[in-house]
Amino acid sequence: MRVSGFRWLGCLLLLPLTGWATADTGKELAARQGIPYPAVIAHRGASFDAPESTAPAYLLARELGADYLELDLQRSSDGVLVAVHDDNLLRTSDVGQRFPERKDSPVSAFTLAELKSLDAGSWFNTAYPERARERFKGLQILTLDEVMDIAEGQKGKRPGLYIETKVPKLFPGIEADLKARLQARGWLDHPGQVVLQSFDRGSLALLHKAMPEVPKVLLLWVGKGSIEPAAAQSFAESGETDKAAFYARQQPRSHAEFERWLDYAKAAGAIGTGPSAALSAGGAQSYADLVQPRMNRMTHDKGLLVHVYTVDEPVDFAQVLDAGVDGIFTNRSGQLLRYLGRPPQRSEAQLLEAYDY
Ligand code: G3P
Ligand code: CA
């Protein structure tokens, strides 16, 4: 197709304007909610450099200057809210040695005392010997209150909390429990200091009912329970062996299907979405690319922010920020802060050593 010189000029003029417009929109939407822009969200703490969701991970993220400490909320069998990501404790603790008969059991099958008796640090030293530290051995699982203690320990501007209700169907009433703890500690008095997130629309709606004033984000991915994929086959049915590559190739069934989930987010009271990203190097954190510029524009047009998960490398920071996202979940807060021109005063190693790790 032949395009006239005037049309080309029009296109060239329009392209940067479109980019600026979406950035301006995101910035304004964030300001309205009291949310930093672009937001640096420390995914399970500074979990590249320290065992995820433990004290050194959150201390390090706080000291580096992350805007939010991210955590996945679950509940012990005796009713205490704790920060654990996986449905069970096998990957990130010594539950297999301590409680072999219950090693596959969900977090909800353990009392707080049992959870506290686990070693939630040594697995990291084994998995990442190049980042291992002696003092990581024997680290404990944290309660929500202990994560709040760490955030509150910051003298200047304290980081906010970005809290996900994980497998909420296993924890009926967890939304009300969370409200009670946040309220008791005064965390609901400061706009934008808490952001609530879930993949589960029902849980998000319950969070909205309990805490209508607190910003909420609907997490998105392509697959069962979220956006319908274009491909008919699931990973198991596909017969493929590279799970990450399979998921990174997934796309929404249609434009309308993607839009349907934006509308679900709005209906559940969300102020934004948390879509997945496909990472340039692939790997276990690489999922469907749900932060394409047109998707971000559509999300902004509906008055919603975009906080993408989980991005750790400069090449990918550039990609998702250019595409118009408003915040990034990252395991490497220091690296993202340096990229954004907000360099921490001390390195990750210096900070861990300052805290005796
Ligand atoms: O909460 C955003 C991101 O953390 C979602 O993925 O599985 O790491 O909780 P996940
Ligand atoms: Ca999470």
Side-chain angles (χ1 to χ4, degrees):
M1 188 178 68
R2 202 171 163 276
V3 180
S4 78
F6 281 122
R7 278 218 202 127
W8 271 116
L9 186 63
C11 291
L12 284 173
L13 286 172
L14 201 63
L15 272 174
L17 283 175
T18 312
W20 291 334
T22 198
D24 284 349
T25 311
K27 206 170 184 174
E28 284 163 19
L29 291 170
R32 226 173 282 156
Q33 299 296 335
I35 292 175
Y37 176 94
V40 175
I41 306 158
H43 183 244
R44 311 180 205 167
S47 56
F48 179 84
D49 291 286
E52 66 185 57
S53 312
T54 63
Y58 287 120
L59 274 169
L60 180 56
R62 180 190 83 182
E63 294 298 311
L64 287 166
D67 296 312
Y68 292 98
L69 309 183
E70 195 261 354
L71 64 119
D72 304 286
L73 197 70
Q74 302 199 48
R75 191 172 58 199
S76 67
S77 63
D78 47 349
V80 181
L81 298 178
V82 293
V84 179
H85 176 268
D86 293 5
D87 298 2
N88 66 43
L89 298 148
L90 269 173
R91 182 180 61 88
T92 57
S93 83
D94 58 348
V95 70
Q97 286 90 60
R98 297 272 298 106
F99 303 102
E101 70 293 349
R102 285 191 283 155
K103 67 179 180 1
D104 299 322
S105 299
V107 174
S108 58
F110 296 84
T111 64
L112 180 65
E114 288 171 335
L115 293 174
K116 282 285 185 188
S117 76
L118 296 173
D119 173 354
S122 293
W123 71 272
F124 181 92
N125 288 351
T126 307
Y128 308 107
E130 68 284 10
R131 304 197 284 281
R133 287 173 186 267
E134 191 59 27
R135 291 287 307 274
F136 288 164
K137 288 183 186 165
L139 288 171
Q140 290 188 333
I141 286 171
L142 298 179
T143 63
L144 170 65
D145 276 80
E146 288 168 331
V147 182
M148 290 183 196
D149 292 341
I150 292 172
E152 289 170 11
Q154 179 71 300
K155 294 212 171 52
K157 183 186 166 299
R158 75 181 189 188
L161 297 173
Y162 208 118
I163 306 172
E164 178 180 352
T165 49
K166 205 57 152 182
V167 281
K169 287 190 172 54
L170 286 183
F171 302 106
I174 197 165
E175 296 84 3
D177 292 353
L178 174 58
K179 179 187 177 179
R181 290 314 310 144
L182 290 171
Q183 205 160 38
R185 298 280 300 250
W187 275 83
L188 297 183
D189 304 336
H190 307 281
Q193 276 276 287
V194 178
V195 179
L196 304 172
Q197 43 158 347
S198 189
F199 283 102
D200 186 308
R201 291 192 278 142
S203 182
L204 208 69
L206 289 172
L207 289 168
H208 192 55
K209 198 168 166 202
M211 294 170 271
E213 306 304 328
V214 178
K216 277 152 232 93
V217 160
L218 181 64
L219 299 169
L220 301 176
W221 73 298
V222 175
K224 198 163 179 282
S226 193
I227 299 174
E228 284 255 4
Q233 287 179 321
S234 67
F235 172 67
E237 290 160 351
S238 74
E240 290 194 38
T241 49
D242 188 340
K243 198 169 184 175
F246 174 85
Y247 278 114
R249 270 203 321 278
Q250 298 306 299
Q251 281 296 305
R253 190 179 58 190
S254 63
H255 204 53
E257 171 65 4
F258 181 77
E259 184 169 16
R260 195 159 69 98
W261 280 82
L262 300 184
D263 293 337
Y264 285 153
K266 290 212 77 143
I271 57 88
T273 61
S276 60
L279 306 178
S280 50
Q285 291 187 147
S286 189
Y287 295 102
D289 179 5
L290 295 179
V291 288
Q292 296 161 34
R294 67 184 171 87
M295 294 171 164
N296 296 333
R297 276 196 297 274
M298 183 190 268
T299 311
H300 285 161
D301 286 348
K302 288 182 182 283
L304 295 166
L305 284 167
V306 182
H307 288 170
V308 63
Y309 68 90
T310 304
V311 184
D312 287 348
E313 297 301 332
V315 61
D316 295 315
F317 297 153
Q319 168 90 17
V320 299
L321 288 165
D322 285 352
V325 308
D326 310 306
I328 299 179
F329 292 83
T330 181
N331 302 313
R332 304 191 70 171
S333 298
Q335 184 145 269
L336 177 54
L337 287 160
R338 287 181 198 101
Y339 181 86
L340 293 173
R342 296 167 53 189
Q345 287 182 349
R346 287 183 284 177
S347 70
E348 285 81 346
Q350 286 171 331
L351 288 167
L352 283 169
E353 276 148 34
Y355 280 91
D356 278 338
Y357 288 103

